[in-house]
């Protein structure tokens, strides 16, 4: 809920989806992939690389629509922001894959 000038915040759970002013995260979406990496995570990656003396390679990557854990609900008249945001919360994660 909100606007470009004042910013946006997460809509209350009971808000009807069709009343949401924006779907997504405009502040995050304006950043490059490298800018989206939190400083704490970048520091963790640097620590792993230093501790392993380069033998462990860490490759951060952004997820895509095919790797979601919880499907987003279909847009329908009764859909609420809470339903959508619960799916979004489940899909906002860090995965570690070892190859």
């Amino acid at each position: 809920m909100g606007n470009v000038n004042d910013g946006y915040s997460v809509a209350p759970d009971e808000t009807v989806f069709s009343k949401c002013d924006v779907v997504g995260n405009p502040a995050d979406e304006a950043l490059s992939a490298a800018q989206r990496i939190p400083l704490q995570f970048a520091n963790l990656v640097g620590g792993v690389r230093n501790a392993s003396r380069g033998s462990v390679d860490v490759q951060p990557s952004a997820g895509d629509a095919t790797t979601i854990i919880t499907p987003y609900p279909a847009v329908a008249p009764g859909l609420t922001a809470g339903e959508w945001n619960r799916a979004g919360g489940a899909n906002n994660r860090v995965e570690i894959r070892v190859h």
Side-chain angles (χ1 to χ4, degrees):
M1 305 296 296
N3 61 61
V4 172
N5 295 324
D6 298 325
Y8 295 94
S9 61
V10 176
D13 282 354
E14 65 278 1
T15 303
V16 178
F17 184 84
S18 63
K19 298 292 184 189
C20 292
D21 296 313
V22 69
V23 176
N25 184 344
D28 188 56
E29 292 163 4
L31 302 174
S32 70
Q35 291 173 312
R36 290 182 186 161
I37 298 174
L39 178 59
Q40 299 87 341
F41 183 73
N43 289 339
L44 173 66
V45 169
V48 167
R49 287 179 176 151
N50 286 336
S52 70
R53 294 189 168 99
S55 64
V56 174
D57 182 29
V58 179
Q59 298 178 353
S61 64
D64 60 53
T66 63
T67 61
I68 62 173
I69 290 177
T70 301
Y72 286 90
V75 176
L79 179 63
T80 65
E83 294 172 272
W84 187 270
N85 291 334
R86 279 187 287 283
N91 292 321
N92 185 15
R93 65 195 187 279
V94 172
E95 287 185 8
I96 298 174
R97 296 180 185 186
V98 179
H99 298 277

